[in-house]
Amino acid sequence: MPGETPAQPTLLYSLYCGASALIAPFAWRKVAAKLRAYGLPETRVRERLGHASLPRPGGQLIWFHAASVGESLSVLTLIRRLGEQLPAAEFLITSGTPTSAELIEKRMPPRCRHQFPPLDSAAAVDRFLAHWRPDLGVFVESELWPQMLVRARRTGCPLVLLNARLSERSADGWKKRPETARFILDQFDLLVTQNQRTADNLAAMGAALERIRPGSNLKAVSAPLPADEKTLADLRAALGQRPVWVASSTHEGEEETVLAAHRLLLQRHPDLCLLLAPRHPERGDAVEALIAAAGFTLARRSIGEAPAPDTQVYLADTLGEVGTWYALSPLVFLGGSLREIGGHNPFEPMQAGAAVISGTGHFNFAETYAELTRLGAATEVTSAEQLAEQLSLWLQEPQKLEAARTAAAQFISRQSDQLDQTVASLLALLPAQQQEAP
């Protein structure tokens, strides 16, 4: 636990450090170009070199590091709960994408700020740590940046791997390098996993058993996505009594199946409207072309169009509004799953009261979907015909839709106890004097 001396660095880790020093200038040019292209000021771009754009607040600072949008947003409810327990604490979130930064800054709890993480090179990491001096570091899911972990631990900062998730392929790769895997995992004082399989994999990779705690997916206890009431009211007025289904977070190669399912559905439900929200709004032009080529009438959100009485597809190619779409309809197909993409967070639509349909390519949530389908809270499909059949069933027999929604709500409610346990585990790693209220 805190204060223990971790295992010694391995040759592979030393080689990684040397390689990162050589690669750092090229990595910097690449990430800087992406951030500049997004329109970020140079002060924010230089955060990737460890140059902070904000002052460190006084007192205790708890640092959360996540990869991108989903992982970052999943910790906001946890930060709020910690903030209630620690009224003097301040919080830092680091994430690597500009999209995540934009959404986090809209939803951050009090006493919280966002920065981009340093590149995993000695100079950038040391510069970051010297400025922020975190009292606790929490890494979310599979963010295992070796130098960031090792150099943070050397400062005396306790580290937690939270909501840990490792694919079988990733775990197998680490198992081939057992000494280095053990060295990296030994930097953590606590490893809280999403499921028992990840816990078993971490143990097989060399993590100390007493530091592993199987848990649930942190995303299941996140606050519901925000819904804009005016937008929701305007859409309901435009659609009237028409039924609506949502296809959310679709990727290239999936919209064709969704549109084919919608064509089949229109034969039985001619007034049905599809709200299609691609995962990446910048694909709006390409998706619009697919809709037009399929012969559907459409309206497009990003240019301010509202559904007309004859609109068959409403293209919601905007960022940060998916909570409003989930509030509009409890019939949700979640993309990233008709191909082997890994799937997307099923808890967000369920928290809004929806039932979920998914493809089978959801390997990032495999255990979650296994339980959800067993409970009747989610359904898996592999074709346009199966997707249309499931949606038609729920449209024609609303009691079956209601049963699926109830099962989803009950699943979500059972996860809240895990959040309380996680808060208690994090508090236990902080020095006692830091936990006291001012």
Side-chain angles (χ1 to χ4, degrees):
M1 304 312 289
E4 292 181 2
T5 302
Q8 293 302 305
T10 63
L11 175 60
L12 183 58
Y13 172 74
S14 299
L15 291 172
Y16 170 84
C17 293
S20 68
L22 295 174
I23 294 170
F26 303 98
W28 158 245
R29 282 200 288 270
K30 183 176 180 179
V31 300
K34 288 184 178 180
L35 295 179
R36 289 169 183 145
Y38 201 81
L40 292 174
E42 196 63 21
T43 53
R44 295 236 55 192
V45 175
R46 286 177 60 78
E47 290 170 14
R48 296 306 310 264
L49 292 177
H51 294 285
S53 64
L54 294 172
R56 187 203 190 279
Q60 179 190 81
L61 181 72
I62 301 176
W63 166 36
F64 286 83
H65 175 64
S68 57
V69 175
E71 293 78 10
S72 302
L73 296 180
S74 72
V75 302
L76 296 184
T77 299
L78 176 58
I79 290 174
R80 288 189 183 93
R81 191 71 64 88
L82 280 168
E84 294 168 1
Q85 297 287 324
L86 302 169
E90 299 282 342
F91 301 92
L92 170 68
I93 303 178
T94 55
S95 64
T97 65
T99 301
S100 65
E102 185 177 339
L103 291 178
I104 289 167
E105 288 172 358
K106 289 179 180 177
R107 304 177 192 175
M108 279 193 300
R111 312 192 309 273
C112 193
R113 70 272 304 140
H114 176 273
Q115 296 275 280
F116 292 110
L119 296 172
D120 201 37
S121 66
V125 170
D126 286 348
R127 197 177 291 122
F128 173 89
L129 293 171
H131 176 83
W132 290 106
R133 306 187 313 280
D135 297 288
L136 175 65
V138 182
F139 288 69
V140 182
E141 294 205 3
S142 53
E143 279 291 280
L144 303 179
W145 291 104
Q147 292 206 80
M148 197 182 298
L149 294 173
V150 172
R151 302 182 94 83
R153 180 64 183 271
R154 284 176 183 169
T155 69
C157 176
L159 298 178
V160 177
L161 181 60
L162 185 62
N163 215 36
R165 173 181 59 83
L166 287 174
S167 68
E168 292 299 319
R169 181 177 180 181
S170 179
D172 289 343
W174 279 107
K175 290 173 189 175
K176 294 175 183 177
R177 304 162 181 85
E179 292 183 359
T180 300
R182 190 176 303 111
F183 169 67
I184 296 298
L185 293 175
D186 200 35
Q187 308 306 311
F188 291 106
D189 300 281
L190 178 66
L191 303 107
V192 183
T193 69
Q194 289 185 17
N195 50 55
Q196 186 61 49
R197 179 175 295 178
T198 298
D200 293 341
N201 277 332
L202 289 175
M205 288 162 55
L209 293 178
E210 66 273 13
R211 300 186 185 189
I212 303 172
R213 184 169 71 78
S216 64
N217 195 315
L218 189 62
K219 295 174 182 176
V221 292
S222 300
L225 294 175
D228 185 86
E229 293 302 326
K230 183 181 184 307
T231 300
L232 190 58
D234 290 346
L235 268 177
R236 285 172 172 162
L239 291 164
Q241 298 301 309
R242 296 178 61 190
V244 183
W245 70 287
V246 176
S248 174
S249 294
T250 58
H251 289 248
E252 183 178 0
E254 294 188 310
E255 285 91 6
E256 292 87 347
T257 301
V258 168
L259 293 171
H262 191 52
R263 186 177 301 283
L264 293 171
L265 284 163
L266 288 174
Q267 296 173 11
R268 304 185 198 179
H269 312 277
D271 60 343
L272 180 65
C273 181
L274 162 63
L275 191 152
L276 178 54
R279 179 70 173 182
H280 302 108
E282 63 270 20
R283 294 185 56 241
D285 288 345
V287 178
E288 180 182 14
L290 288 173
I291 297 168
F296 294 112
T297 56
L298 69 98
R300 189 167 173 180
R301 171 70 176 165
S302 64
I303 60 175
E305 295 177 342
D310 65 342
T311 298
Q312 295 170 314
V313 180
Y314 185 50
L315 176 56
D317 55 334
T318 52
L319 181 66
E321 294 193 294
V322 71
T324 303
W325 315 147
Y326 293 154
L328 178 68
S329 173
L331 301 163
V332 174
F333 166 76
L334 199 55
S337 60
L338 288 171
R339 299 169 58 202
E340 289 298 313
I341 295 169
H344 292 298
N345 183 354
F347 309 116
E348 291 176 344
M350 291 195 300
Q351 287 164 335
V356 175
I357 304 173
S358 171
T360 56
H362 48 47
F363 52 82
N364 286 335
F365 298 89
E367 289 197 3
T368 297
Y369 272 107
E371 184 172 2
L372 292 177
T373 54
R374 179 179 62 81
L375 295 171
T379 301
E380 295 180 353
V381 299
T382 59
S383 66
E385 291 76 15
Q386 289 181 357
L387 177 56
E389 192 64 35
Q390 183 61 49
L391 288 163
S392 187
L393 175 66
W394 282 346
L395 286 165
Q396 293 172 339
E397 301 185 40
Q399 71 277 10
K400 292 187 177 179
L401 171 62
E402 191 58 33
R405 295 176 69 188
T406 298
Q410 290 173 344
F411 175 87
I412 292 294
S413 68
R414 288 195 294 270
Q415 310 306 308
S416 60
D417 288 346
Q418 294 288 346
L419 182 62
D420 295 332
Q421 293 177 24
T422 298
V423 169
S425 297
L426 296 181
L427 292 175
L429 290 173
L430 291 167
Q433 67 270 21
Q434 292 188 326
Q435 298 181 43
E436 297 175 358

